[in-house]
Amino acid sequence: MTLANTAVKAGILGYPRIGANRELKFISEAYFRNELSQEEFSQKAAAVRKDNLAFLKNADLNIIPALDFSLYDSILDLILALGFIPERFRKLNLEGLELYFAMARGYQKDGRNAVALSLKKWFGTNYHYLVPEFDDGVTPEVNAGFLTEALKEASEGGIAVRPVLPGPFTFAKLTRITGTRDAAELEESVTAVYRELLLTLNREAGITEFTALEPSLSMDLSAADIAMFRRMHERLLRDLPLKVYLGTSYGDIRDVMKDIPDMGYAGLWLDLSGNNRNRDLLREFSFKPGFELGLGVVSGQNIWKNNYDESLEIVREIQKDHPETCIVITASASLLHVPVSLQNEKTLSPEKLKHMAFAAEKTAELRELRDILNGSAAPEISERNRDLFRAPRFAADAELQSRVAGLKESDFARKPARKERLALQDQVFKFPPLPATTIGSFPQTAEVRALRKKFRLGEITRESYDAEIRKLIAACIREQENTGLDVLVHGEFERNDMVEFFGRKLEGYIFTDNGWVQSYGTRCVKPPVIWGSIRRTAPLTTDISSYAASLSEKPVKGMLTGPITILNWSFPAADIPAASSVMELALAIRDEVLDLEKAGIRIIQIDEAALREKLPLRREDQEAYLTLAVNAFRLTASGVKPETQIHTHMCYSEFGEILKSIDAMDADVISFEASRSNLTLLRELRDAGFETRVGPGVYDIHSPRIPSVAEFKSTIKRILEILPREQVWINPDCGLKTRGNAEVWPCLNNMMAAVREIRAELEEKNA
Ligand code: GLN
Ligand code: ZN
């Protein structure tokens, strides 16, 4: 019997929007600075979009997405297209692009004012979306002009596309209800207007196919969620004059797989990278003849070549189980999360580059896999790929491996217990009540950035660069002393980035020239790449820390980035377990901690800014991640003397369910971001019996506002109503590097004035 499979296809859910050289970022920024008119900006942006489409057409993919391109964010596109305009923006009476960017970036002009929609992490990736709001001003209505235009543009280019947008379920799940209407009304509104949107696109742009991207299906879903998903999609699909494909990513869809086959979709695209349950789920269910199965065997999130033999084995098994489906080879997610193309990499050797694949190269992989399956690929294609995986990619560091293997339980335990340690530290440091500090960085002014650039370009020598950095440090320490802060920092002027700085100094890291990935809107990041075993070969920060410490009688903190944060903000190796890289990083940081202590540094801060970010989406996977993160942190710090104080910092306030783990990191002091949820968090800390001393940020460094002394006082008093005075530190909520000196020093002066007044009040009470 011959299998009834039709020819295998290849396609993707999305392509990076930033352009091969981050064109979109630069033209957007020029537009924001009023250097481009709206018209010029729109034209230039359309050129990036057309280039993408032309590339994909040339890449010989069978299914090319459209509407995946966005000027800022796809959820924001949908907010505009569905008319989810909150009252504060509606009142501005703006239209089109102006309204769009007002929601993205906030608005402040002619006395009119609106705070931007908030940004949130997108499903465990480093991408952020804009959070839709459902307030009483929202009156959903279809506004599809900009989408139909983009679709027409594609058809003028002669390119057949399948439009894709985040689906209604995900949109509703991500929406924050802020008005008086409830979740049922939200669901009703989204469903109705979303269906209307598809009908409009069908009528006005002639679309006959559509992919609804529903990444929320990869989260733990309750029975109510599942019912909601079914309700929304059944209504969406009923008698719709177009074929709808369900796109999923970022994990498996265990909670709804059973529902999918009879819901009326034309196809389902699945993440089949890694070890999620989708493979098993596919064994359990069957689909109608002709149903399209998108098999995401190529990772949409890593930057490494795919192992064809492994992928083909997965695909062939699925083909066997589902002989009557149409198979599409795809990536596990939109290629949005990987850099555009290796063509722009001039520095890395061919030996390294041959193992890597960015978005452009991944489309080639999809095509090759398809051709192999269809029997039309040249034999060398498989051979060349097999060669890549035959020999070890790098020489593992045996000594390091045995050091990791030899770690004992005692290496993860600091002695004595925290209570005892803190009592000893109190005697040594003799801080006043409510000790005050900052998170580490001070403004990276134009001057600081120009200095680093000159050094990078070889225009100044290492000596004069170091001398200039030292001047900056000395001035910063003097200013901090003037404000009356109790624990000082050196200011991090020598660091462009808290991860790359360490990566550059560690063995095992490599760096791309142009490996940019969109983080949000115009912001892109260029994560360093973990190539092999990570090892510290020399001290990383002791020279600068000792210098800074020599300038003051007050303690100056040594500043390090923690292992989980370094890992989470790097591109990990695909063939090295994350746990190995993390432990190697932890050992490197541990050695640095001990060297700092030896150099006389008495307080060391190990930032775990990104710990919460990569908390797995599924509850059942969270425990293992947290255990690893906690152990890695404990390893970095467990070797120090009892009187050396260990601080850490985290960049978010949604601790909630992971408070126990954070306490288990066994730091002495932790600072974290404050936000509107400050009060909730403080209560959670109290109720959890949190033992680490805490500095809940007393002001938002993301805003240029300067809070008054009175405002600082009331913030601090609110904290003291909930947490015992002995437990509390005072600090801003994050590093100050993105702010200007004109705001930072008045802020810190006001903060310290408030601290002094409250200390005096406390003393009076005691007297
Ligand atoms: N120490 C770092 C700084 O102050 C921490 C940055 C962060 O939390 N993202 O910049
Ligand atoms: Zn932070």
Side-chain angles (χ1 to χ4, degrees), residues 439 498 607 609 649-652 671-673 701-702 733-735:
I439 309 304
M498 63 190 287
D607 289 330
H649 165 72
M650 289 182 195
C651 270
Y652 48 82
S671 61
F672 52 79
E673 209 170 284
I701 63 97
H702 305 93
D733 71 352
C734 194

Side-chain angles (χ1 to χ4, degrees), residues 695-716:
V698 294
Y699 83 92
D700 175 11
I701 63 97
H702 305 93
S703 151
R705 267 183 81 238
I706 302 173
S708 65
V709 177
E711 187 177 334
F712 273 118
K713 278 182 75 174
S714 85
T715 305
I716 296 170

Side-chain angles (χ1 to χ4, degrees), residues 384-569:
R384 214 183 314 131
N385 184 271
R386 211 163 281 142
D387 277 348
L388 281 177
F389 295 92
R390 200 162 277 146
R393 191 175 49 74
F394 66 98
D397 184 329
E399 192 189 320
L400 189 59
Q401 282 175 337
S402 74
R403 192 171 167 207
V404 173
L407 289 169
K408 303 178 299 295
E409 220 171 300
S410 56
D411 293 318
F412 298 91
R414 204 179 155 195
K415 294 243 163 69
R418 182 159 43 202
K419 260 209 189 94
E420 215 176 304
R421 246 155 50 209
L422 283 169
L424 184 66
Q425 291 166 14
D426 285 343
Q427 281 172 23
V428 175
F429 290 107
K430 300 201 168 50
F431 290 129
L434 307 176
T437 189
T438 62
I439 309 304
S441 59
F442 270 84
Q444 294 256 336
T445 57
E447 180 199 351
V448 175
R449 276 176 287 138
L451 179 68
R452 263 207 317 272
K453 187 162 178 198
K454 272 197 215 151
F455 176 56
R456 207 176 54 234
L457 297 176
E459 290 168 16
I460 52 172
T461 61
R462 153 121 329 240
E463 288 68 39
S464 53
Y465 173 73
D466 285 347
E468 289 302 316
I469 291 283
R470 284 174 184 232
K471 274 189 219 158
L472 290 164
I473 294 175
C476 186
I477 296 261
R478 230 174 304 124
E479 280 287 337
Q480 290 177 73
E481 286 192 323
N482 290 340
T483 62
L485 286 157
D486 301 291
V487 175
L488 314 187
V489 296
H490 75 281
E492 300 181 26
F493 303 108
E494 79 288 10
R495 302 181 189 180
N496 47 346
D497 175 284
M498 63 190 287
V499 170
E500 181 168 344
F501 172 81
F502 288 95
R504 292 253 174 219
K505 295 184 171 227
L506 293 168
E507 219 173 76
Y509 266 97
I510 59 175
F511 301 86
T512 64
D513 297 326
N514 214 358
W516 295 100
V517 177
Q518 187 176 27
S519 167
Y520 60 85
T522 54
R523 189 173 150 72
C524 300
V525 294
K526 187 159 75 70
V529 177
I530 297 179
W531 174 261
S533 311
I534 302 160
R535 177 198 270 275
R536 190 192 80 138
T537 52
L540 314 168
T541 62
T542 48
D543 50 349
I544 279 197
S545 282
S546 321
Y547 170 71
S550 74
L551 300 171
S552 181
E553 294 290 302
K554 293 192 170 171
V556 180
K557 287 190 276 195
M559 298 296 313
L560 302 172
T561 304
I564 276 283
T565 297
I566 300 185
L567 179 87
N568 286 351
W569 284 344

Side-chain angles (χ1 to χ4, degrees), residues 61-207:
L61 296 179
N62 309 88
I63 296 158
I64 297 177
L67 308 186
D68 60 315
F69 184 90
S70 171
L71 294 175
Y72 204 90
D73 169 46
S74 292
I75 293 286
L76 181 61
D77 293 357
L78 211 44
I79 289 172
L80 193 65
L82 302 180
F84 263 65
I85 318 296
E87 184 62 27
R88 66 181 181 284
F89 299 107
R90 195 168 281 280
K91 280 204 311 235
L92 299 173
N93 266 322
L94 304 172
E95 282 186 356
L97 277 187
E98 268 203 290
L99 173 59
Y100 183 83
F101 285 122
M103 292 192 284
R105 309 176 62 239
Y107 191 84
Q108 199 162 30
K109 211 162 147 186
D110 318 324
R112 292 181 297 167
N113 222 318
V115 186
L117 297 175
S118 48
L119 282 166
K120 246 182 147 176
K121 284 258 162 192
W122 179 252
F123 299 98
T125 69
N126 284 337
Y127 182 78
H128 302 71
Y129 66 95
L130 284 155
V131 181
E133 292 173 22
F134 190 54
D135 70 2
D136 293 342
V138 169
T139 42
E141 62 188 333
V142 172
N143 166 20
F146 67 111
L147 301 178
T148 46
E149 219 171 282
L151 291 167
K152 281 190 189 139
E153 186 185 281
S155 62
E156 277 160 23
I159 302 170
V161 292
R162 183 185 291 173
V164 48
L165 285 172
F169 176 66
T170 298
F171 186 84
K173 288 295 286 179
L174 300 182
T175 296
R176 192 180 284 161
I177 298 179
T178 56
T180 54
R181 289 176 286 181
D182 62 11
E185 283 167 287
L186 171 67
E187 179 186 325
E188 166 60 33
S189 300
V190 175
T191 315
V193 70
Y194 202 99
R195 184 178 158 89
E196 204 44 51
L197 173 68
L198 292 190
L199 290 170
T200 307
L201 293 178
N202 169 255
R203 216 169 40 235
E204 285 169 19
I207 70 166

